Amino acid sequence: MNSFQFLVALTASFGGLLFGYEVGVMNVVLVMDAFRIFFKFHSWNGDALDENGKDTTDKAKMMYRKLTEADNKATLEGIITSSFVLGALCGALMATYLGEKYGRQRTIMIGACIFTCGAIIQGLSARSWIMIAIGRLITGLSIGCNGVLCPTYISEVAPAKIRGTLSSCYQLMTTFGIIVAAIINSIVWYYTNSSPEGLGIKRDNIWGEVANFEWRFALLFQIIPGLGLAILMSFLPKSPRWLCSKDRDEEAVEVLAKLNAASTSDELVQSELKAIQEDVAATRAAGSSSFGELFSPVIRRRTFITFLMQLFQQWTGINVIMYYQSQIYDEIGFSKFMSTVVLPIINNFVNFVSTFPGMWGIEKLGRKTLLVVGALMMMVFHISTWACSTQTHNGKLWQYLAVASVFLFVFSFAWTWGPVPWVYQAEVFPLRVRVKGSAVGTVSNFLNNWIIAFVGPALMKAWSTRTFLLFAAACLLAWIYSQFYVIECKGLSIDEMDAKMAAAKIIDQMCPNFCPCYKSNKQWISHCHIRINSNNDNSNSNNNNSNNSNSNNSYSNINNSIFSIVSNSIENNVYIDSSVCEKMFNFLLGGRSINNSTREWKDLFKCQMKSGAYSDTPFLVVTAALLQSIIPIAIGQQWSLFNRFKSNRTTTTKSVNAEETVRQASRASATNEDHNFVF
């Protein structure tokens, strides 16, 4: 990686800075007295609290305003907070169209300008929750759009070996934005909410406004990073993959040369250009993309993986802590100063620093490993937070243990579930549906984020710290999902990713109108169907002249031939459907003991598992084969089970030519055999 590649990735990741600042600023703004009174979350009659949050009438000890919570406080707080996420949900859908039409780089610039407009509306809001909610919805449009396109853009300009590390820069900048917002606005809160004017003086109008500089400044400050991103993105190149998809190959090769610090004729540049061109050509050959294709047999697995990964990321409870952490610390029993200034800054710093081991681990340990380890760690720390919070009445030690558990949870999230979903969704989809696939993941993220943000205040009010048990249960489900459903994709190029993820589909669940075989160039071909002929012309003479030894050798050669065909098909990304498997296994098992072929099919099964290619038909038969080596079960009983399984489905097939490499392999293997395998 050269300095220019790093600069491009770092600049594009500033989209995460906008996201982080928006998350971090609301945690502090929501506890600013002026904001609470302005939007009628609370009223104030002039009473005061001391530095420990206790009522006082001693003017020397008066430190903070004593606010009275309104009945609809939790609802209004949820609406204003979640409106941003609702906008992000819509922005993720907008990204699909804008990213494909205008390109990743230009659309990110547009998104930054939209963010700036939303910040202005928020900062200049009238005394109505509707206006600030609209402003936050508009900023959300930008965040949702850039949440799709920034990681996608980075993945398309980054080298495959460090693509995960650079893509995780988006998460790093998100955490950096949160800590910047916490530091700036905590300082503002301290100087405007500590010892304010009017303490101890009775107010006739308990809903009357106080000075609103604090929260207006905090929200208008968002203009700076918004304009900064728009300006910086204007100096970055367009995505070479997007340029090739628009037949602008000359521009694409210039961008690739600049990214690799080489000439346009350099071998590395030309090889990357050729790979992109082939991917684009294959994409075009398959036709225009649609959201429906995300649920096709070839792609649907990665769609569900991405959707669920972002869902579980939100239900770990991370954004309840980030949005409402000051109120959580207050509930545990800390003072206003500790809850609003000290602890949020420490927590956000932990969040920021913990992203760095994630950037290392995402390539060294792999995406799946981080998800599995992170889910278990978060579950443990959620439980410990709840357990310690129930003992806070026994002393300060338990308060600090509870908040330490919160910090450890944030650490567990920041280096695992924080960066991985964004990196994963940006790299697993083919070019033709990459933006749409990333949009599905981002929509899932913001949809669940919106639910969490909306119900978070009500949950904390009703359940208090027992809410952490709900999130612990969600982390347990996240661990099950990561362990048994997610597929590792560490260190693969995007083209290799297509091959591996295509292999992960259920092979024999195919529509009869489409092909169950998926070639390495990613084009559908017609159904392949193996017909096993007995070579009738020579069958009598062969049967009369063959002895047991020849028969066994013939059987062994045929078995090896079939094994070679299937293995070759897996290696060449040509997948055989259940009807083909049934024909082969029918021949192998017909009237013969399966023990002779147990080792070969066991090896084949291992090959399938290693490559990520799963077919429930071979799985069933191989399982029966392994059982046969332990428990003597009649072949007829095995096939009765298998046929009952097959009777529940139908597969329409026809005989056509299949992949040339497989045909050659099968002919070579079947030479001089008593049986022919015709494709």
Side-chain angles (χ1 to χ4, degrees), residues 360-375:
W360 168 83
I362 206 165
E363 296 295 350
K364 296 295 183 180
L365 303 178
R367 286 70 161 151
K368 181 172 181 176
T369 301
L370 293 188
L371 294 176
V372 171
V373 172

Side-chain angles (χ1 to χ4, degrees), residues 185-391:
N185 295 297
S186 293
I187 295 172
V188 172
W189 176 89
Y190 180 74
Y191 282 104
T192 57
N193 287 264
S194 298
S195 302
E197 294 181 359
L199 289 178
I201 302 174
K202 292 297 180 182
R203 305 179 67 202
D204 295 331
N205 181 10
I206 62 174
W207 300 103
E209 296 180 37
V210 296
N212 290 304
F213 164 80
E214 55 192 77
W215 65 268
R216 291 192 187 276
F217 170 81
L219 296 177
L220 287 172
F221 191 82
Q222 298 175 102
I223 295 173
I224 296 176
L227 289 178
L229 177 63
I231 293 171
L232 290 174
M233 284 301 300
S234 65
F235 295 101
L236 298 191
K238 293 178 173 62
S239 163
R241 289 178 178 272
W242 180 80
L243 289 171
C244 284
S245 71
K246 300 299 180 182
D247 295 323
R248 295 161 65 176
D249 292 0
E250 292 183 0
E251 294 179 59
V253 73
E254 291 177 0
V255 171
L256 288 171
K258 192 172 183 180
L259 289 171
N260 289 281
S263 64
T264 56
S265 59
D266 185 82
E267 182 179 353
L268 175 62
V269 172
Q270 290 298 320
S271 64
E272 289 186 5
L273 177 65
K274 183 178 179 181
I276 294 172
Q277 289 173 331
E278 290 176 351
D279 193 34
V280 170
T283 298
R284 288 177 175 173
S288 60
S289 64
S290 66
F291 275 103
E293 186 174 348
L294 294 175
F295 302 95
S296 66
V298 178
I299 300 176
R300 65 188 173 201
R301 183 184 180 93
R302 63 188 98 180
T303 302
F304 288 125
I305 288 176
T306 299
F307 183 89
L308 291 173
M309 192 177 294
Q310 292 284 16
L311 179 149
F312 282 121
Q313 186 202 58
Q314 291 305 307
W315 281 96
T316 60
I318 184 63
N319 278 324
V320 167
I321 292 176
M322 291 302 170
Y323 290 143
Y324 309 113
Q325 59 180 309
S326 292
Q327 299 174 55
I328 292 173
Y329 303 142
D330 184 67
E331 181 73 20
I332 292 174
F334 288 96
S335 67
K336 269 184 170 291
F337 179 75
M338 289 290 291
S339 298
T340 308
V341 178
V342 177
L343 295 178
I345 290 178
I346 295 175
N347 185 46
N348 294 330
F349 183 75
V350 170
N351 187 30
F352 173 68
V353 172
S354 301
T355 306
F356 288 99
M359 297 175 68
W360 168 83
I362 206 165
E363 296 295 350
K364 296 295 183 180
L365 303 178
R367 286 70 161 151
K368 181 172 181 176
T369 301
L370 293 188
L371 294 176
V372 171
V373 172
L376 291 175
M377 292 177 66
M378 289 187 293
M379 180 181 66
V380 170
F381 294 129
H382 270 318
I383 295 173
S384 65
T385 300
W386 165 77
C388 293
S389 68
T390 61
Q391 303 298 318

